[in-house]
Amino acid sequence: MAHCLKKYHSSDVIILIDEYDVPLERAYFGGFYNEMVSFIRSLFGAALKTNDALQFAVLTGCLRISKESIFTGLNNLEVISILNPSFSEYFGFTEEEVQKILETYGQQGHQKEVKRWYDGYLFGETEVYNPWSIIRCVKDNYNKMEFVPQAYWANTSSNSIVREFIELADLNTREEIEQLMAGESIEKPVYEDITYGDLFRSQDNIWSFLFFTGYLKKTGEHFENRRLSLRLNVPNEEVLSIYENTISQWFEDKVKGLDRSVLLNALEEGDCEAVGAFVSEQLQDSISYFDFAENYYHGFLVGLLHGLGRYKVRSNRESGNGRSDIIMQAASVRGKAFVFELKVSKEFCKMEEKCREALAQAAKKNYKAKLVQTGYSDITVYGVCFYQKECVVVRETAVP
């Protein structure tokens, strides 16, 4: 094609290749990675090395895949990574450009919200906005009464590696993910020449991948032992939502495959210690993206109880003089029913005391009333307290 174009136009050809590493990513997850590396090496060799019709070429991609020998023998390569200040303002929209776009389409009043959602990408020393998301957000909210930002980037790229990273993360890595989700930073060495083949050979490689593909941003850097280390944060709300959704889906899938018979038997037998131990174990094996508030624990416990044997689970239902946190009941009124009242403690040593407070609240507000009215007689009330990733359970059983 290049030779035909040169012959027709009597001029050397410029070749532009966008996202050259995407076929390698697809091949990595499709199981034909080595074959794709061989094919691209051959293609690039013919197009960029031995092509005497070529004036110059520009390739763009997320990863600098040099160790694959894809570019073996190519001359005069100039690599510009996101750590390089060259052309940095052209990789996204600058603050001034976004302000002008919002003003043009009458959305200047939402600049702070747009910044929170789509800003934060650092190329060299220039902070830029995600251009695709800005365009989509402005378009979708044009002439609308309510301005609603969304995670557009999640629909344009594969999040498979983020999911696999979360699944394979050890305890230390999960704690670091929680730090990032809480808005804190972590410090990691970064390697520019990682490959998909090397991706999961070390945790440092995965952090590098997340940085170069936009899932993390640089907020500081320093050299240590002749190696570049970066201070990393989650760039913005859009990327944060990707992490949250990925973690949420991972937890749902994990629970579906989890043997919860131990939890079910413990609840039916009133074994509070076994219930607390099971829930604590799952908390330790999970990733929290909230600040350990009661609504986080509420959703976590509901997730464990849903689909548990022959029981229906109801959340925040009106009962008695207030709303109980969770009610779990058998399909038949001849079966068992459970009321769960949740508390969060700021100290480990006060967890059991908080459980007693939960039971007292359930009794005072008569959370069993609706169940009794329906016809249930075998009702167990559980006071459940959480402290970070620990759970303590106390029960009070009453037969009306």
Side-chain angles (χ1 to χ4, degrees), residues 211-258:
F211 169 65
F212 284 110
T213 52
Y215 291 98
L216 295 171
K217 72 172 180 179
K218 179 189 79 171
T219 55
E221 66 177 61
H222 73 275
F223 281 90
E224 183 177 343
N225 298 325
R226 297 181 297 280
R227 186 172 62 180
L228 177 64
S229 290
L230 302 182
R231 188 166 64 247
L232 302 171
N233 288 75
V234 176
N236 50 44
E237 289 290 324
E238 183 178 39
V239 177
L240 186 62
S241 71
I242 294 174
Y243 282 111
E244 289 179 354
N245 292 336
T246 304
I247 292 170
S248 177
Q249 188 60 56
W250 163 75
F251 178 72
E252 288 179 16
D253 294 343
K254 177 176 174 290
V255 169
K256 288 177 184 176
L258 184 66

Side-chain angles (χ1 to χ4, degrees), residues 11 18 49 70 94 114 136 179 205 217 265 280 320 331 339 348 377:
S11 177
D18 189 26
K49 178 181 179 183
I70 292 173
T94 63
V114 168
R136 286 295 310 275
Q179 285 179 247
N205 285 351
K217 72 172 180 179
N265 293 336
S280 295
V339 176
F348 178 80
S377 59

Side-chain angles (χ1 to χ4, degrees), residues 139-260:
K139 180 178 181 294
D140 287 352
N141 288 285
Y142 184 58
N143 283 337
K144 283 189 176 179
M145 295 293 294
E146 185 178 1
F147 185 88
V148 181
Q150 299 178 46
Y152 299 104
W153 189 48
N155 299 321
T156 62
S157 61
S158 170
N159 298 318
S160 302
I161 291 180
V162 176
R163 170 63 184 256
E164 193 166 347
F165 173 49
I166 289 169
E167 289 177 346
L168 297 176
D170 58 21
L171 183 60
N172 289 333
T173 302
R174 289 180 181 178
E175 288 180 354
E176 289 173 322
I177 294 172
E178 289 177 345
Q179 285 179 247
L180 290 168
M181 302 290 284
E184 301 173 16
S185 62
I186 61 172
E187 199 163 288
K188 292 292 174 183
V190 171
Y191 308 99
E192 292 194 68
D193 57 352
I194 58 171
T195 72
Y196 285 103
D198 293 334
L199 195 55
F200 290 99
R201 291 182 183 175
S202 79
Q203 292 288 343
D204 286 344
N205 285 351
I206 305 176
W207 290 119
S208 295
F209 171 85
L210 293 175
F211 169 65
F212 284 110
T213 52
Y215 291 98
L216 295 171
K217 72 172 180 179
K218 179 189 79 171
T219 55
E221 66 177 61
H222 73 275
F223 281 90
E224 183 177 343
N225 298 325
R226 297 181 297 280
R227 186 172 62 180
L228 177 64
S229 290
L230 302 182
R231 188 166 64 247
L232 302 171
N233 288 75
V234 176
N236 50 44
E237 289 290 324
E238 183 178 39
V239 177
L240 186 62
S241 71
I242 294 174
Y243 282 111
E244 289 179 354
N245 292 336
T246 304
I247 292 170
S248 177
Q249 188 60 56
W250 163 75
F251 178 72
E252 288 179 16
D253 294 343
K254 177 176 174 290
V255 169
K256 288 177 184 176
L258 184 66
D259 180 8
R260 289 173 286 166

